[in-house]
Amino acid sequence: MVGGGAAGATAASRAKRLCRQCRVVLVEAGNVITHAPCALPYAIGDMAEESIWLFQKEEFELERGVEVLLRTKAVDVENGRVRLEGEHGGVVDYDALIIATGARPWVPPVEGVGLRGVVVPAVWNIQETKAVLAEARRVAVIGAGYIGVEMADVLTATGKRVVLIEGGRWPLPRTLDEDVGKLVADYMATSGVILRLGERVLRLEGNGRVERVVTDAGRYEVDAVVFATGVRPNVDLALRAGARLGPTGAVAVNKYLEAGPPGIYVAGDAAEAVHKVTKEPVWIPLATYANKMGYVAGTNAALDARAVEFPPIAGASVTKFGDLYVGSVGLTEAEAARKGLSPTSYLVRSTDKARYMKETREITVKAVVGGGRLLGVQILGYSAVVGAYVDLAAQFVGEPAEKLFYAEYTYMPFTAPPWHPFAVVGRLWLRNYYRPYGSPGP
């Protein structure tokens, strides 16, 4: 296994469990394995443990029986051998190779990125980053995706003056439609974050240390900058092994996660998947998928068989800013329209418990329907129940919209309203679908 993140560590553990007599080697270029990158913003803000990796090398080797090579990079693959450089140089022979090299951060090529005080998530050292940000009073966060929104949340909570700069017209532009995204923007603006939407960063300025961010619409004085501009699949080793890239730029794999050359599997953020709605290749780098891909690849590699499949996915995700939880799954209305699916959307405002109960919290659901199928859902709310709603919505994505109405939901005044918001969406769809007097219409 090459790569000690979610996919690689899961694959190694699964393979050893199924094939006790096999030598299973996990190669990782960094200092730790099974780290939790989703927790990085919260570790910076002292809301999570700094030791956010799940296993030490010795613990993993002892409990799982896997040989772990840290600070070692796999640089080439040829004729059943992986060439290594670093602390454990040399070659390792393999019968099956699982490449789980993940994704690398992408930073726009702007002047000044190398100045002191500039932080790039996914490659940061927690202690160094905490030291940089502890000294800063004014911080610019570049990019309002998941990490950018979460970093802005954490830094604002610690009393920093935060400028959040995003090229799109609303936060989380890849997972939310404009109407929902603007609701998020309105809430964020009340928290003290300075939102600068629709702006492109031109350069960073400073004398050795960053002092300001210059965009195409303004200049912002800062003491530190956090780049949260996304990631790209890390596919170099897979290409050397003979794999090919798909249309997303990640490695094309089949449902068994085979990458083409015999004995080569690719899992996690380096690999494509199939979208549940469009049936097209998609690249969605989330830990939940990486773990499952590692399980599938590790099983098939250990058994030398096409034993299990990785299914199509819908991109279920959730994040938060302050008290607002934001979740989504499937296609946005804009995406569905671009793909010619003639979408209709339904916006339902509900509560997390019966409306007559005290301390109810608002839940907003936007459902996108096209061709009689549920294409996607976006959810906002002031309760962690948003995550559970996204999980539930993921089971309906791609299914007939009427299932939302006929599905069973629990009701108890403390836990849910009598009409679950998904049932309301289904009811609205049925109302529009059926003409008066029950005559079915288009």
Side-chain angles (χ1 to χ4, degrees), residues 56-68:
Q56 297 284 357
K57 162 186 160 68
E58 296 77 13
E59 182 184 6
F60 197 80
E61 288 184 325
L62 179 64
E63 289 190 11
R64 306 301 173 93
V66 174
E67 183 179 344
V68 179

Side-chain angles (χ1 to χ4, degrees), residues 281-326:
V282 66
W283 184 62
I284 304 178
L286 294 174
T288 50
Y289 299 134
N291 275 309
K292 291 177 183 178
M293 281 183 159
Y295 187 93
V296 170
T299 299
N300 291 336
L303 299 178
D304 190 23
R306 292 177 167 179
V308 291
E309 303 175 2
F310 185 73
I313 63 175
S317 61
V318 67
T319 188
K320 70 178 286 292
F321 183 93
D323 293 327
L324 181 66
Y325 290 82
V326 183

